[in-house]
Amino acid sequence: MPELPEVETVRRGLQPAMEGQVIARARVNRAGLRWPFPDRMAERLTGRRVLALRRRSKYILADLDGAETLILHLGMSGRILVSGDPLGRFHHHHPAPQKHDHVVLDIANGARVTFNDARRFGAMDLWPTDRLDTHPLLVNLGPEPLGNSFDDATLAARLTGRRTPIKAALLDQRNVAGLGNIYVCEALHRAGINPRRLAGSLSRGRIARLVPVIRDVLSEAIVAGGSSLRDHLQTDGELGYFQHSFRVYDREGAPCRTDACTGTIRRIVQSGRSTFYCPRCQR
DNA sequence: ATGGGGGCCTGCCGGC
DNA sequence: TGCCGGCAGGCCCCCA
């Protein structure tokens, strides 16, 4: 499911329920997801106050008192739903447990945070906050595409000499952190770049065009609450709606949406994954 | 060294 | 209706 905009949408939805609040009780329904949960995770979460909710790439980071940070990844099918009344003013009830509810956090303010992940490609870990950047899942991440350190100079430095298709280079989280299959396809279309083009063959001008396009598509998707194709929901259970703004993703055979372009969107497979693009206006 | 493919899981959809 | 293959917003790991 989740690329940067979906994860950011979830983070923003969690904030009012969790930030500054105490985890009254944590329950864990299985030993792990993609990897085993850290030792005694439920006990280490119970009673902790959430000092801040941050995001790094596709990871949600919950800084806890006690100097540990909960690292959370949604994999392909992960959802986090918030139920109950975060203000604690009314009687309330929580929805019935669902299949694949793996971790449930009862917040002292009455909210309940439920992590559901059918495919179990998601992950959770606890790690010392002051050494977060040493975590194996975080240590090799490239710049945040919406942050100040992402610019055409740094992107160009990462792409020069690379003989991999630009599609694969943008999916490589070491080059830029947070893009996935949807937003790479969308960004390349907006930039007019053919996904098969070798990364090292991009002119500096085209790289300079790519940078703001990546920022734009991610920002627009965040505003829309992400893209809901199969799995992604916002924390209130609502769908995101950026899928209605797709120009290429999942639009095989449909007309290109570039102004004055008469092309038809094609689907190809690159390194085992679907790529959607317009052969006419992406060169 | 780096690029590509397999594998991890479950669910859903389309075709027969 | 049922069964089967293909496919899915990610990413680690192994192999050439």
Side-chain angles (χ1 to χ4, degrees):
Chain A
M1 136 197 166
E3 306 180 33
L4 186 155
E6 290 74 33
V7 176
E8 177 63 15
T9 296
V10 169
R11 186 195 71 82
R12 292 180 184 187
L14 286 175
Q15 238 172 347
M18 292 188 76
E19 207 165 66
Q21 304 297 320
V22 169
I23 300 170
R25 179 166 169 224
R27 274 169 298 160
V28 171
N29 297 328
R30 57 160 41 241
L33 297 167
R34 178 164 182 178
W35 297 285
F37 291 134
D39 191 43
R40 296 175 48 253
M41 181 171 76
E43 292 89 329
R44 286 158 74 184
L45 291 173
T46 297
R48 297 268 70 90
R49 184 181 299 275
V50 178
L51 303 177
L53 269 178
R54 299 182 288 147
R55 180 190 54 72
R56 171 75 170 110
S57 183
K58 303 173 192 174
Y59 296 87
I60 291 172
L61 308 174
D63 297 327
L64 310 174
D65 64 357
E68 288 197 305
T69 292
L70 174 64
I71 303 171
L72 216 150
H73 194 277
L74 300 173
M76 287 282 262
S77 57
R79 292 174 174 168
I80 300 179
L81 293 184
V82 174
S83 60
D85 172 15
L87 299 177
R89 289 172 303 184
F90 308 111
H91 293 290
H92 57 270
H93 68 282
H94 298 290
Q98 302 293 303
K99 195 176 181 183
H100 309 304
D101 284 351
H102 304 308
V103 175
V104 179
L105 305 179
D106 284 322
I107 311 299
N109 62 10
R112 172 173 290 174
V113 173
T114 302
F115 185 102
N116 180 291
D117 182 8
R119 295 175 71 182
R120 304 202 303 274
F121 292 163
M124 286 192 200
D125 203 2
L126 285 162
W127 202 259
T129 305
D130 61 359
R131 288 196 292 280
L132 253 196
D133 52 7
T134 68
H135 192 281
L137 294 173
L138 306 178
V139 69
N140 288 318
L141 292 176
E144 283 290 321
L146 298 178
N148 294 331
S149 63
F150 180 62
D151 57 28
D152 52 308
T154 56
L155 185 58
R158 295 293 315 193
L159 299 183
T160 49
R162 298 281 241 95
R163 299 198 41 79
T164 192
I166 184 64
K167 164 84 186 303
L170 293 179
L171 281 176
D172 185 337
Q173 304 295 299
R174 293 171 297 187
N175 296 328
V176 50
L179 296 175
N181 208 29
I182 291 178
Y183 298 104
V184 166
C185 290
E186 293 295 318
L188 288 174
H189 180 260
R190 290 177 182 219
I193 297 170
N194 190 304
R196 290 177 146 135
R197 177 177 283 282
L198 297 190
S201 80
L202 286 184
S203 70
R204 188 57 182 266
R206 309 194 90 196
I207 293 173
R209 181 142 51 112
L210 194 47
V211 166
V213 152
I214 289 171
R215 285 216 183 89
D216 288 349
V217 71
L218 294 176
S219 302
E220 291 171 28
I222 290 169
V223 170
S227 302
S228 290
L229 292 178
R230 271 163 288 275
D231 298 307
H232 170 63
L233 295 177
Q234 306 189 52
T235 56
D236 57 4
E238 294 293 313
L239 299 173
Y241 54 90
F242 192 72
Q243 66 277 12
H244 302 302
S245 300
F246 289 169
R247 300 186 191 180
V248 288
Y249 190 86
D250 211 15
R251 295 190 66 244
E252 182 182 19
C256 180
R257 288 184 167 156
T258 299
D259 285 346
C261 180
T262 57
T264 300
I265 305 309
R266 281 191 59 194
R267 173 185 176 272
I268 59 173
V269 175
Q270 292 181 288
S271 44
R273 312 192 65 191
S274 290
T275 298
F276 298 90
Y277 75 109
C278 173
R280 190 166 190 104
C281 66
Q282 291 179 256
R283 296 296 174 166

